[in-house]
Amino acid sequence: MKWRSLAVVCALASAAASLVIAAPAEASGPLKTHAVARGKFIGAAIATSPLANETAYRNIAATEFNQITAENAMKWESTEPNDNQYTFAGADQIVNFATQNGQQVHGHTLIWHQQTPGWVQGLSAANMRIAINDHIATVVGRYAGNPTVVSWDVVNEAFNEDGTFRQSFWYNTLGQSYIADAFRAARAADPDARLCINDYNVEGINAKSTAMYNLVQSLRSQNVPVDCVGFQSHLATQYGFPNDLQQNLQRFANLGVQVRITELDVRIQTPRTAQKDTTQAQYYTNVVNACNAVTACAGVTIWGFTDKYSWVPDTFPSEGAALIYDENYQQKPSYTAVHNALDGGTTDTTPPTTPGTPTASNITSSGATLTWTASTDTGGSGLAGYNIYRRVGSTDTQIATSTTNSVNLTGLTASTQYQVLVRARDGAGNLSANSALATFTTTGGGTGGGCSATATTQTQWSEGYVIEPVRVTAGSSAITSWTVTFTLPAGHTITGSWNATLTVSGQTVTARNAAYNGNLGAGASTTFGFQVSRPNGNTSLPSGYTCA
Ligand code: G3I
């Protein structure tokens, strides 16, 4: 990697002599190149108006980032300003832009106490529950199956600073059950989307983040589909850096969730000075380094990218300049900081050593585990992970990545021969030579040794109930798929499900495994759940669960 040294241009911008610092040493290659090399995303919140109207804004948004979040366009007031009147112009604008530029979209946000229209806030409990289900089904459902939209902030800012629940209209009307209900509705609307809970001032270990930790642990123990935790990271240099950020990310990761930095900005007390820029840049470095160091941290999203468009000055008078480009789209020291943290800040051109020949194990009709001898990296940027490729003829297609010397391949075709190889990748994006090829053949389809299903009624109310868990247990040999059938009482309607795909024919419901929970070893089990509405007072429950 070559570094071009560029003079630091200082200009006295006004009679008030505020210092404008422009053009730090130019960093090589866009941010996303280095994020991809690490297997992470680098994202930005995007506003629809400059995206439509400003070429400079559009170009930076397209070239620097591989992930974007709508700053406002997917919020409830934007998508459903009046009951059952949906408007997706802004949301679609963001999604289409991302698709054109090969970016992922993180949906923000479904359930929040701000930017939710008045008509929702005054609803009765029963009607608010209906509104939540309808809104989530419609908004998430619109993009289900669209590979660009990969994740959602399902619940945003549910806590007070002392760790108690925020007394929002959601909480005051529904109690804390609104959180689990929202996650279940989102899973039902898009079984493949990653579902996140998101908050601010949870970057360090404190009362609020510990309350969030306890909630996530509790929800997951009840099979509520919380996949991910978002740490907004609206930081301010005058309040100091949360030095336990990495430790905090890791404790959440240890719960089995993905973590991500969702709304990073670092505001200063304006005007800018060289000293304040340096401090701010260090904060950006620290955040990206923390995410780099935690395997389960998927990436960092900056809340905007240019100081021309930032929520900060509107909210905090005399504060601002929080982003990585100035108002004139010039890169700031904070841009260089993010760039260097992503690429290792080195001139590493030495690729890692070649990985050992992979060996395949745990071969089923749809998956296999590959393991190989690890590579080493001496170039300075460090070993970042491995790319796994399938070879067909003379073409190698990347089918997976891994941060360890092992990977579980899924979604393979039954009774098919696979030739695979591995290449190691370092923090600067250098790739090793190909490993030797490994060849294996997936087994035939079929369900193997049978299964059984038992169902538990988790909760019921006069007009509905939740059945969870339905526990599916493999018999004396492993199975690769399962189908549970049961009978739904007349007049009852399934309103949501998770961890299985349900189809209804008359009163017979057929639940098939999701892509990720069909494989069960002998005697192993998995669970799914569903929610039903029923005529008031009709207390019948589903019956006759059979598994095949
Ligand atoms: O679009 C109208 C415009 O027509 C009108 O002339 C103008 C007058 O004030 O307002 C414009 O709407 C503003 C909107 O941003 C779009 O710019 C709203 O007033 C303003 O309240 C809204 O602020 C957004 C804020 O959330 C709302 O709380 C910010 O852009 C957005 O950056 C901010 O983002 C939040 C995250 O969603 C959640 N975490 C905190 C973060 C920062 O507050």
Side-chain angles (χ1 to χ4, degrees):
M1 186 151 310
K2 297 247 170 12
W3 290 88
R4 194 136 57 89
S5 150
L6 222 121
V8 173
V9 181
C10 299
L12 288 177
S14 68
S18 60
L19 189 62
V20 177
I21 300 104
E26 187 183 326
S28 166
L31 300 177
K32 67 182 178 188
T33 303
H34 307 290
V36 167
R38 286 184 178 276
K40 309 271 185 192
F41 65 73
I42 181 73
I46 296 298
T48 50
S49 174
L51 189 67
N53 300 319
E54 289 189 47
T55 306
Y57 186 96
R58 221 170 14 249
N59 287 344
I60 293 172
T63 55
E64 292 288 341
F65 306 101
N66 60 345
Q67 184 271 352
I68 61 177
T69 302
E71 185 175 3
N72 288 297
M74 289 184 166
K75 292 173 178 173
W76 194 313
E77 71 175 12
S78 302
T79 53
E80 193 188 6
N82 299 301
D83 191 3
N84 217 23
Q85 286 180 6
Y86 288 92
T87 58
F88 287 108
D92 285 354
Q93 181 193 348
I94 297 284
V95 174
N96 292 340
F97 179 81
T99 303
Q100 283 158 16
N101 294 293
Q103 299 165 318
Q104 295 183 344
V105 168
H106 174 65
H108 172 85
T109 174
L110 298 169
I111 301 295
W112 188 28
H113 62 282
Q114 288 187 38
Q115 291 177 287
T116 297
W119 69 264
V120 183
Q121 303 186 25
L123 292 173
S124 67
N127 287 337
M128 191 176 282
R129 230 176 252 121
I130 291 168
I132 286 175
N133 281 322
D134 182 66
H135 182 80
I136 291 178
T138 306
V139 176
V140 176
R142 181 177 183 82
Y143 303 105
N146 181 331
T148 297
V149 181
V150 296
S151 53
W152 284 93
D153 282 333
V154 177
V155 173
N156 191 34
E157 302 176 6
F159 290 103
N160 293 316
E161 300 304 294
D162 65 1
T164 56
F165 282 110
R166 182 188 292 278
Q167 310 290 294
S168 65
F169 55 87
W170 304 116
Y171 183 84
N172 291 339
T173 310
L174 298 170
Q176 75 175 83
S177 68
Y178 81 89
I179 298 175
D181 288 349
F183 274 94
R184 289 181 172 129
R187 177 66 97 231
D190 184 354
D192 297 324
R194 195 178 288 274
L195 306 180
C196 308
I197 186 167
N198 190 49
D199 218 320
Y200 62 89
N201 286 352
V202 292
E203 293 73 35
I205 296 178
N206 54 40
K208 190 174 186 179
S209 66
T210 297
M212 180 127 119
Y213 177 89
N214 291 335
L215 177 68
V216 170
Q217 188 171 42
S218 156
L219 290 174
R220 284 172 62 84
S221 74
Q222 299 166 67
N223 289 323
V224 177
V226 181
D227 307 315
C228 148
V229 177
F231 302 79
Q232 292 188 8
S233 309
H234 293 292
L235 305 179
T237 54
Q238 72 269 29
Y239 300 132
F241 188 81
N243 287 314
D244 48 4
L245 171 63
Q246 181 184 326
Q247 189 189 343
N248 192 34
L249 294 178
Q250 189 60 57
R251 75 166 170 157
F252 278 84
N254 293 346
L255 291 176
V257 288
Q258 186 196 72
V259 295
R260 49 175 66 197
I261 306 295
T262 49
E263 304 184 15
L264 175 61
D265 50 25
V266 182
R267 60 185 189 270
I268 59 165
Q269 290 165 318
T270 48
R272 285 172 66 193
T273 64
Q275 180 57 43
K276 291 177 191 173
D277 272 14
T278 302
T279 305
Q280 177 186 61
Q282 186 62 52
Y283 278 45
Y284 273 96
T285 300
N286 294 349
V287 172
V288 177
N289 281 347
C291 185
N292 286 344
V294 175
T295 307
C297 184
V300 173
T301 304
I302 300 168
W303 203 241
F305 58 86
T306 167
D307 291 338
K308 187 171 182 183
Y309 301 108
S310 167
W311 68 288
V312 172
D314 292 339
T315 306
F316 300 101
S318 310
E319 295 181 50
L323 294 166
I324 60 173
Y325 286 79
D326 72 10
E327 300 88 337
N328 299 312
Y329 296 110
Q330 298 302 303
Q331 294 171 358
K332 295 163 58 179
S334 48
Y335 173 93
T336 310
V338 173
H339 190 284
N340 287 355
L342 287 173
D343 87 347
T346 71
T347 54
D348 181 3
T349 55
T350 308
T353 59
T354 308
T357 309
T359 55
S361 60
N362 302 330
I363 301 167
T364 67
S365 63
S366 61
T369 302
L370 297 180
T371 310
W372 55 90
T373 301
S375 301
T376 54
D377 185 71
T378 55
S381 62
L383 191 68
Y386 299 87
N387 297 348
I388 296 90
Y389 303 83
R390 180 184 183 191
R391 176 165 296 178
V392 177
S394 57
T395 305
D396 294 340
T397 305
Q398 189 176 320
I399 55 172
T401 61
S402 176
T403 52
T404 68
N405 62 324
S406 180
V407 70
N408 290 320
L409 301 177
T410 57
L412 305 184
T413 306
S415 306
T416 302
Q417 179 177 297
Y418 284 83
Q419 288 196 301
V420 293
L421 63 93
V422 180
R423 298 178 75 179
R425 168 166 50 75
D426 67 18
N430 299 303
L431 283 175
S432 74
N434 291 347
S435 73
L437 281 171
T439 303
F440 66 91
T441 302
T442 50
T443 61
T447 54
C451 54
S452 58
T454 55
T456 304
T457 306
Q458 189 202 76
T459 177
Q460 24 182 338
W461 55 99
S462 55
E463 293 176 340
Y465 50 91
V466 172
I467 304 292
E468 181 182 45
V470 181
R471 182 164 295 281
V472 180
T473 305
S476 56
S477 52
I479 58 175
T480 57
S481 64
W482 46 261
T483 303
V484 174
T485 53
F486 58 89
T487 305
L488 197 62
H492 293 208
T493 311
I494 306 256
T495 54
S497 65
W498 47 100
N499 297 334
T501 305
L502 269 56
T503 51
V504 182
S505 171
Q507 297 316 121
T508 303
V509 182
T510 304
R512 293 194 169 80
N513 60 277
Y516 50 85
N517 63 1
N519 279 317
L520 294 177
S525 67
T526 188
T527 64
F528 71 91
F530 59 94
Q531 181 168 327
V532 179
S533 73
R534 63 185 173 192
N536 196 349
N538 179 335
T539 55
S540 303
L541 291 168
S543 59
Y545 292 85
T546 57
C547 186

